[in-house]
Amino acid sequence: MMEELQMTHSQKRYLMAYVTRGDALPLQRFPPSSQQPVPVPHAAACQPGRLPARPLLRPAKVCQAGDAYTREKFKPQPTRDLEKEKRRLQKILALGKDEVEDKVEQVFVRKKEEEIAEPDRFEELRNEIQERREFLAEMEALGQGKKYQGIVLTEISQKLHEMEIIDKKRSEEMRNIMTKAFPIGNKSNL
């Protein structure tokens, strides 16, 4: 900014002396270069009413004179809806229980239902095999079938193996259920 004002070297020094002392800049135009007083930074810093350019600690009187010790008055605001709290307490007195407890029970019941409604792994495997067959058919149509054929067929065989294991478990469970429901007794009972 000083370069834009086209000031003389002595005028720049005059302004820089104000800046280093931490004083406000003068309001009037610069005096002609012959009338400029040479500022003495040490004498100005020792004046009683002024602060040094870089104060380390401020006197207590200066702090108290400013707004450092004034506080805003505390204005408490409600942190919860008092009407809602009144209705909740009325329900507790009338019904004997809190509606929050009911919500917890409902969530617990929903979680149990979700666990029971677990999708069948056998059907998932069947869908995955079908997706892989469709993918392989698309790649063969594009001329990339040989590139993906080994990978896809390996994945399909793994899925089929897993389906066989599930099928054996189900067959064993059915056999156990059937033997418990229709026990084959001794021939002596006949």
Side-chain angles (χ1 to χ4, degrees), residues 7 59 63 67 91 167 175:
M7 297 186 298
C63 292
D67 286 341
K91 286 182 182 179
D167 188 43
R175 197 173 300 121

Side-chain angles (χ1 to χ4, degrees), residues 151-164:
I151 297 169
V152 172
L153 291 177
T154 304
E155 289 178 0
I156 289 175
S157 69
Q158 289 172 351
K159 304 295 179 192
L160 286 172
H161 180 67
E162 192 174 342
M163 287 174 75
E164 288 173 0

Side-chain angles (χ1 to χ4, degrees), residues 23 36 40 43 61 65 80-81 86 89 98 100 153 165 176 186:
D23 294 339
Q36 284 185 359
V40 180
K61 291 179 183 177
R80 57 184 181 227
D81 186 9
K86 285 180 187 176
L89 292 172
D98 194 1
V100 175
L153 291 177
I165 293 171
N176 290 337
N186 293 337

Side-chain angles (χ1 to χ4, degrees), residues 70-76:
T70 58
R71 286 185 156 184
E72 288 184 30
K73 189 168 183 173
F74 178 69
K75 299 173 188 172

Side-chain angles (χ1 to χ4, degrees), residues 118-128 159 162-163 166 170:
E118 184 178 313
D120 186 23
R121 179 65 180 150
F122 196 81
E123 290 299 319
E124 287 179 3
L125 290 170
R126 185 181 295 164
N127 293 336
E128 289 176 10
K159 304 295 179 192
E162 192 174 342
M163 287 174 75
I166 292 172
R170 285 183 181 174

